Amino acid sequence: MKRWRVNALLLSGAGLLALAIPALSQQTQTPEPLLPPGFQEPPPPPAEENAAAPATPAPAPSSPQATPLPGLEAVENSALEDLQALEPPPPPIEIPDFARRPIDVVGAIGPAEWGLDEAAFGTANGRFLATLMRRMDAPLPSRWMSILLRRALLSRVAAPSYVHPVDWVAERAWLLLRMGEADAARMLVQSVDVDQFTPKMFTVAVQVALATSDPAALCPLVEPGRKTSDEPVWPLADAMCAALEGEPARASTLIQQARRRSRAQPIDVTLAEKVIGAGENTRRAVTIQWDEVDSLNSWRFGIATATGLDIPAKLMSGAGSHVRAWQARAPMLPLEQRVEAALTAASLGVFSNASLVEMYSLIGDNTDPSEFRDSVAGRLRAAYVSRDADARVRALRDLWDDGGDAEPRRYANLILTAGAAARVAPSPELQGDARKLIASMLSAGSDARAARWAGAVQGMDGREADDAWALLALGSPRVTVDSGRLGTFIGNDDSPNDIRSKMLVAALAGLGRLDGADDYASDLGIDLGRQNRWTRLLDRAAERGQQGSVVLLAAAGMQTPGWTGVPPEHLYRIVGALRRVGLEYEARMIAAEALARL
């Protein structure tokens, strides 16, 4: 279970570096896991421990620092006679100097694609930011905070000082993986030429290949990767790549060596054989037995998913929600196996409304016509295109009620219906549905469409109407913050410890939209003036206009399993800092999400 770790994350100087995982050899120490319990993977090698390092990038370490995947122990070198029996690998392809890509400025999106500016991290200490990312407990509870963090990590930004530029890219990709953003992580890794990889980048690149269920992505890494580490993934990857490259004899020899000489779990070698069996002219049929497997690691997930295997539910249940987001985008799995994972991915911010609608549309195409009307795809179609307005609203209600009491699923259903909700004309007669309609639109960022409901909501009364007004007050700058309406909301709030009222007041204060914020906060027991190391660093980054640093620090203030664990004081600081650096739209969406999910 996640814990608040802001203080530990925000230690600076020698104190921060003292918390770094020591770079000891893999034979003498098991590194601290970064992924959630049940799906633990070794972290990339830690940043250099010399606090006095110069601003210029340090050279990549020459000694192996990578850690083997869980369940795959180190293997001995192949025997001389076995090596002699193999054909020599082809010579590496030399990249001419003019074709090399820069490593000091790397990213996939710029300001025109909703990315941050190149100088988004300004003069911030790169070692501190890298440690902040490495120790961040992801996924985050907020969909919109995750979306903003993804944009920051994918942005074409300059590497800050005191960190190797390639390691800087690796840290960004590693955090994206833990957020469930497998494809975004791959975009970053593929932005750096392999001959520029550091040991840390090799480790992350392996994890990216497995998270994206792409064994072929390991092939360019095998030979150079072996020169930087002795991870046992390389012999297995070498065997798979030989089969994928049309060398079945070489693949058979390599997998026999791995099975004979390694102490790897049988399931891990057998999964590699499954990939080899899919190669041309291998004539190798492999059956996977999960009965004796008690845990899932990235190797087992990636290779099993790549070959279209359905991983048992008992193993997937022990994985983090980010792994289900990886599963949702796995192209080798049937859509029906991915749909539940896609809803999880949507609640995390990985999947959009359009992605969900497209997935259900494809499922609907393969649904029996006699069953289509009552299916999710059928109800979704009715919500979008039914000629009867009442029928569209009824379909929306059915979709919202589908999923039980699990909060992530309820919110995912709101995301699924965002486009259809935007087609419903505002009406005071829909008082009982207004809150969910507005929350649905705001879940996909449709603040202008949601604002059309301001007039209708003004004519409503009751708790549902108060909730609808509060969502609009947070999500749209066009809606006036009425003190009387706010007082009514607070007076009727029956949430545990008045958490909804506290979050509403804190968010409005952070957005600068609440007169007398201190009085409201004092009445509710909120300390808006509370100061600690995190608040000071966040304020300093905002004063300097460092959008990237503000986004990272804001995310660090949200490390908890759900919105109920986010203190109102943190929400106040987060939306205020984002607004100060020009990210007001994102601040409003985060604030509205808080109220919608509580």
Side-chain angles (χ1 to χ4, degrees):
M1 193 170 182
K2 299 182 182 178
R3 304 183 305 274
W4 283 105
R5 302 169 63 191
V6 173
N7 289 337
L9 283 169
L10 301 171
L11 292 174
S12 59
L16 178 142
L17 294 174
L19 292 176
I21 305 169
L24 300 180
S25 68
Q26 59 192 28
Q27 287 80 12
T28 59
Q29 179 174 344
T30 300
E32 174 187 337
L34 287 182
L35 294 181
F39 197 88
Q40 296 176 347
E41 297 295 348
E48 296 80 2
E49 296 190 16
N50 183 4
T56 56
S62 58
S63 59
Q65 298 186 39
T67 306
L69 296 173
L72 297 180
E73 290 78 14
V75 296
E76 61 185 82
N77 293 331
S78 300
L80 180 60
E81 57 270 20
D82 289 332
L83 289 176
Q84 291 173 341
L86 300 176
E87 297 180 7
I93 299 175
E94 294 291 337
I95 302 177
D97 291 339
F98 71 85
R100 292 182 181 276
R101 292 173 292 181
I103 61 173
D104 55 338
V105 179
V106 175
I109 60 175
E113 300 87 20
W114 290 84
L116 305 186
D117 291 332
E118 184 175 312
F121 294 94
T123 59
N125 186 302
R127 184 179 291 115
F128 167 74
L129 295 176
T131 304
L132 189 67
M133 289 190 289
R134 188 182 317 123
R135 292 179 173 271
M136 193 170 294
D137 204 357
L140 303 174
S142 169
R143 164 182 165 82
W144 275 98
M145 186 72 251
S146 296
I147 291 172
L148 178 56
L149 182 57
R150 177 185 65 213
R151 285 167 41 200
L153 296 173
L154 270 178
S155 294
R156 199 174 300 110
V157 295
S161 59
Y162 301 106
V163 65
H164 192 290
V166 176
D167 286 349
W168 169 248
V169 179
E171 294 288 6
R172 291 154 60 189
W174 181 237
L175 178 52
L176 284 167
L177 275 186
R178 305 195 318 271
M179 294 165 57
E181 300 279 0
D183 290 310
R186 177 167 58 183
M187 294 172 71
L188 278 185
V189 169
Q190 291 181 345
S191 298
V192 179
D193 297 325
V194 174
D195 66 340
Q196 300 279 3
F197 277 19
T198 61
K200 182 179 295 185
M201 181 60 98
F202 275 112
T203 303
V204 174
V206 168
Q207 301 298 325
V208 168
L210 297 173
T212 54
S213 307
D214 186 9
L218 296 170
C219 299
L221 309 177
V222 173
E223 289 304 318
R226 277 176 159 166
K227 297 176 181 177
T228 61
S229 75
D230 58 354
E231 286 192 45
V233 68
W234 303 128
L236 295 178
D238 199 8
M240 293 189 303
C241 292
L244 296 175
E245 293 165 3
E247 300 179 80
R250 182 168 180 266
S252 296
T253 301
L254 288 171
I255 199 65
Q256 289 170 9
Q257 289 177 19
R259 184 176 291 281
R260 184 173 67 249
R261 302 182 184 282
S262 78
R263 291 172 295 171
Q265 294 292 324
I267 183 63
D268 299 309
V269 181
T270 304
L271 284 168
E273 288 186 287
K274 185 73 172 177
V275 175
I276 293 172
E280 186 178 0
N281 297 323
T282 57
R283 299 179 182 179
R284 183 186 295 265
V286 179
T287 301
I288 303 298
Q289 298 291 339
W290 296 101
D291 297 342
E292 302 300 323
V293 180
D294 57 4
S295 63
L296 193 66
N297 59 32
S298 63
W299 176 268
R300 294 166 191 172
F301 169 84
I303 303 303
T305 306
T307 53
L309 295 176
D310 187 13
I311 300 173
K314 68 174 184 177
L315 295 179
M316 284 300 299
S317 63
S321 56
H322 64 294
V323 183
R324 290 188 284 279
W326 299 352
Q327 184 185 47
R329 47 80 49 213
M332 296 298 293
L333 297 179
L335 286 173
E336 291 76 8
Q337 291 183 23
R338 293 191 273 146
V339 65
E340 287 297 324
L343 293 170
T344 298
S347 68
L348 296 179
V350 179
F351 268 36
S352 65
N353 158 261
S355 298
L356 286 182
V357 171
E358 181 179 6
M359 177 173 281
Y360 275 109
S361 297
L362 293 172
I363 293 174
D365 290 342
N366 296 321
T367 301
D368 188 287
S370 64
E371 300 175 355
F372 178 79
R373 180 177 179 180
D374 294 329
S375 68
V376 173
R379 293 197 294 269
L380 190 60
R381 180 179 179 181
Y384 269 93
V385 301
S386 179
R387 295 182 179 179
D388 184 355
D390 291 338
R392 293 202 303 272
V393 174
R394 286 196 301 271
L396 286 171
R397 291 173 188 151
D398 289 342
L399 290 168
W400 293 332
D401 293 339
D402 182 25
D405 296 329
E407 190 281 325
R409 177 62 182 270
R410 293 200 308 272
Y411 191 63
N413 287 338
L414 292 176
I415 299 168
L416 172 65
T417 58
R423 295 170 176 242
V424 177
S427 170
E429 297 178 359
L430 295 175
Q431 175 172 316
D433 302 297
R435 177 187 181 277
K436 288 186 177 179
L437 287 166
I438 294 169
S440 181
M441 287 181 272
L442 292 177
S443 73
S446 299
D447 58 333
R449 292 292 188 95
R452 297 182 308 153
W453 280 79
V457 169
Q458 289 294 337
M460 301 177 185
D461 56 18
R463 184 171 300 172
E464 287 284 343
D466 291 339
D467 286 346
W469 167 83
L471 286 171
L472 288 176
L474 293 173
S476 174
R478 304 179 188 178
V479 177
T480 302
V481 177
D482 185 292
S483 59
R485 200 73 185 256
L486 177 58
T488 301
F489 181 96
I490 296 173
N492 293 333
D493 185 14
D494 59 356
S495 62
N497 198 27
D498 297 326
I499 183 60
R500 301 187 79 241
S501 294
K502 291 178 179 179
M503 295 297 258
L504 174 60
V505 168
L508 288 173
L511 291 170
R513 307 202 63 214
L514 183 59
D515 294 333
D518 290 337
D519 293 335
Y520 282 104
S522 178
D523 291 342
L524 290 168
I526 308 171
D527 184 4
L528 298 181
R530 181 186 299 173
Q531 291 282 338
N532 54 35
R533 182 176 284 107
W534 174 69
T535 63
R536 289 190 290 271
L537 286 170
L538 187 62
D539 288 343
R540 191 181 310 158
E543 290 170 2
R544 296 176 178 177
Q546 297 175 357
Q547 281 189 338
S549 301
V550 166
V551 172
L552 280 181
L553 288 163
M558 270 194 188
Q559 296 176 94
T560 178
W563 270 105
T564 55
V566 179
E569 292 86 354
H570 281 219
L571 183 62
Y572 165 70
R573 294 287 183 175
I574 288 168
V575 298
L578 293 176
R579 183 172 65 90
R580 290 165 63 189
V581 294
L583 297 172
E584 180 178 348
Y585 169 80
E586 292 80 359
R588 289 190 282 109
M589 295 303 102
I590 291 170
E593 179 191 351
L595 203 63
R597 300 185 72 168
L598 285 170

